Amino acid sequence: MDAVTTAARPGRSRPRAVAALLGPAFVAAIAYVDPGNVASNISAGAEYGYLLVWVIVAANVMAALVQYLSAKLGVVTGRSLPQIVRERAGRPVRLAYWGQAELAAMATDLAEVVGGAIALHLLFGLPLLLGGVITGVVSMALLAVQNRRGQQPFERVIIGLLAIIAIGFLAGVVIAPPSPSGVVSGLVPRFEGSQSVLLAAAMIGATVMPHAIYLHSGLTRDRHGRTEPGPARKRLLGATRVDVGLAMVIAGAVNLAMLLMAAATLAGSDIDSLESAHAAVRDALGSWAALLLAVGLLASGLASTSVGAYAGAMIMEGLLSRTVPLLLRRVVTLIPALIILAVGVDPTRALIVSQVVLSFGIPFALIPLVRFTADRALMGGDVNHRATTWAAWIIAVVISALNLLLIYLTVTGA
């Protein structure tokens, strides 16, 4: 029995009916609390205090709309964003499109495996290469849950890891509460020099991820299938808005907690890596706070690399109509990250480069998403409202421009 039918059973209360439909957005939200977010948010708080609070808020508001549009596309059409791109593009375009999407997915995986390896090094002193192998093995176990038990058990595991991530990063704010006046002042949009612009671009680039945009449409497709127009679809879209709203509030709170913790306790510290951030937290807040941060980082790496591999498989299946066993794909995409760790590349530098590579993929995901959800022939009566389309185009332009700026500033060293 599908989720829509189950939720609509007589006698089931409306809150329980809505709760039965939640889950896909929480899986996609893992992309918003991955190790790349940890690095950029803690660096921003340590260097600029509360200055860039508004960036966190703006990035999550934009991400919420983007993720809802992706989820809506899957609900209304019963197809994923990559599938619709395949249907509307010729073979050469499909292959090129898959190439850039695959590159972005691999860059995502690199950052997440490296983040997990760093967390294991901080917790247990393990060599980074061994930590990378363990991260890969655990992520394969998580993917085996999806492969053998289905999507909903996988969603529950990921939601559990999201809870651990939230506890790990919210703990610092509880131990050392931020300045209320500082938080309020940080809501006023402004910059202080080119470095703050670079950090803002990195924070937004680490927030809106191309693989999460592709993935969410496929998650709702697999969870709910295509729902015909009518009351059932209306209820499902309403539940999807709740799903996205709750997931993005949690992701936004975690991101904000990272920045506020750094602003309150690490201001003036030289934070140039996740290791230095961990050491600074230990010195400022004690060993328990540092332990919780490392545990949160580990959960982030494990969950995000599993979700990233899942997204990569969905992208390939959608664009090429080729299915590779999920666990085999996990092994293949793990290899570049392990090579990076084996040859001794600075892990922080690897994280930065991965974010730059990700930046190239943002427009390729955002622009088709806005076009398709604004297409009445495709979406029918659930086509975007004109104001929604305008807001989505503005977001697409802003995020794409900031990611291009991030690439330029990183390459030129400005």
Side-chain angles (χ1 to χ4, degrees):
M1 183 178 293
D2 64 39
V4 175
T5 305
T6 302
R9 278 205 311 245
R12 174 170 285 209
S13 67
R14 181 174 174 78
R16 289 183 62 195
V18 171
L21 302 176
L22 304 183
F26 287 82
V27 176
I30 287 295
Y32 295 88
V33 290
D34 76 349
N37 293 85
V38 179
S40 58
N41 292 334
I42 292 180
S43 296
E47 189 166 352
Y48 291 101
Y50 301 101
L51 178 73
L52 300 178
V53 167
W54 67 273
V55 175
I56 296 284
V57 175
N60 277 272
V61 169
M62 291 189 290
L65 177 59
V66 168
Q67 293 304 139
Y68 174 68
L69 293 182
S70 178
K72 183 172 81 166
L73 184 69
V75 168
V76 173
T77 67
R79 304 195 295 283
S80 68
L81 175 58
Q83 282 179 303
I84 299 174
V85 170
R86 183 190 73 219
E87 292 168 4
R88 299 192 172 204
R91 180 175 173 80
V93 174
R94 288 200 304 269
L95 289 173
Y97 204 95
W98 170 75
Q100 63 79 29
E102 193 70 43
L103 186 61
M106 291 179 70
T108 302
D109 205 40
L110 169 63
E112 291 155 355
V113 171
V114 168
I118 291 173
L120 287 169
H121 174 71
L122 294 174
L123 286 167
F124 306 110
L126 297 181
L128 289 177
L129 178 58
L130 178 57
V133 171
I134 292 173
T135 300
V137 170
V138 174
S139 70
M140 279 191 275
L142 295 177
L143 290 170
V145 172
Q146 194 281 334
N147 207 34
R148 297 177 183 177
R149 300 289 183 88
Q151 185 172 323
Q152 285 187 269
F154 179 68
E155 288 174 3
R156 295 188 190 107
V157 172
I158 295 300
I159 289 170
L161 288 171
L162 181 59
I164 294 172
I165 295 167
I167 292 169
F169 291 110
L170 289 170
V173 176
V174 174
I175 295 170
S179 161
S181 61
V183 175
V184 172
S185 69
L187 293 172
V188 179
R190 65 194 191 281
F191 296 106
E192 290 180 4
S194 62
Q195 185 62 26
S196 67
V197 178
L198 174 60
L199 267 175
M203 291 161 68
I204 292 176
T207 300
V208 182
M209 295 280 203
H211 76 284
I213 299 171
Y214 295 122
L215 175 66
H216 205 159
S217 59
L219 289 170
T220 53
R221 173 203 65 187
D222 293 346
R223 179 75 180 285
H224 307 302
R226 183 180 184 275
T227 309
E228 295 299 323
R233 182 189 285 181
K234 185 177 179 180
R235 284 194 298 272
L236 182 53
L237 288 174
T240 298
R241 285 191 287 272
V242 174
D243 192 27
V244 172
L246 289 175
M248 294 312 302
V249 165
I250 293 172
V254 171
N255 280 312
L256 186 58
M258 297 176 197
L259 186 146
L260 295 181
M261 179 272 294
T265 62
L266 307 182
S269 302
D270 184 17
I271 305 296
D272 58 1
S273 66
L274 290 172
E275 293 93 334
S276 62
H278 179 265
V281 169
R282 183 185 61 230
D283 294 341
L285 300 180
S287 57
W288 276 105
L291 174 64
L292 288 171
L293 185 146
V295 169
L297 178 62
L298 177 60
S300 169
L302 294 175
S304 56
T305 191
S306 303
V307 170
Y310 188 11
M314 189 173 287
I315 290 167
M316 175 180 282
E317 183 270 333
L319 287 170
L320 302 184
S321 289
R322 301 278 178 87
T323 301
V324 174
L326 195 53
L327 297 181
L328 174 61
R329 181 184 174 85
R330 165 71 286 184
V331 172
V332 172
T333 56
L334 184 62
I335 292 173
L338 295 182
I339 292 174
I340 292 291
L341 293 172
V343 300
V345 173
D346 176 33
T348 301
R349 182 63 184 170
L351 281 172
I352 293 172
V353 171
S354 72
Q355 296 304 307
V356 173
V357 174
L358 279 172
S359 298
F360 283 103
I362 286 287
F364 293 98
L366 274 177
I367 292 172
L369 176 67
V370 179
R371 285 189 58 193
F372 294 155
T373 53
D375 184 347
R376 184 170 294 277
L378 181 65
M379 301 294 288
D382 293 300
V383 67
N384 290 346
H385 187 280
R386 190 185 297 264
T388 302
T389 298
W390 275 106
W393 277 123
I394 291 170
I395 288 171
V397 170
V398 169
I399 292 177
S400 298
L402 283 173
N403 277 277
L404 289 173
L405 178 63
L406 174 62
I407 295 168
Y408 170 76
L409 293 176
T410 303
V411 171
T412 60

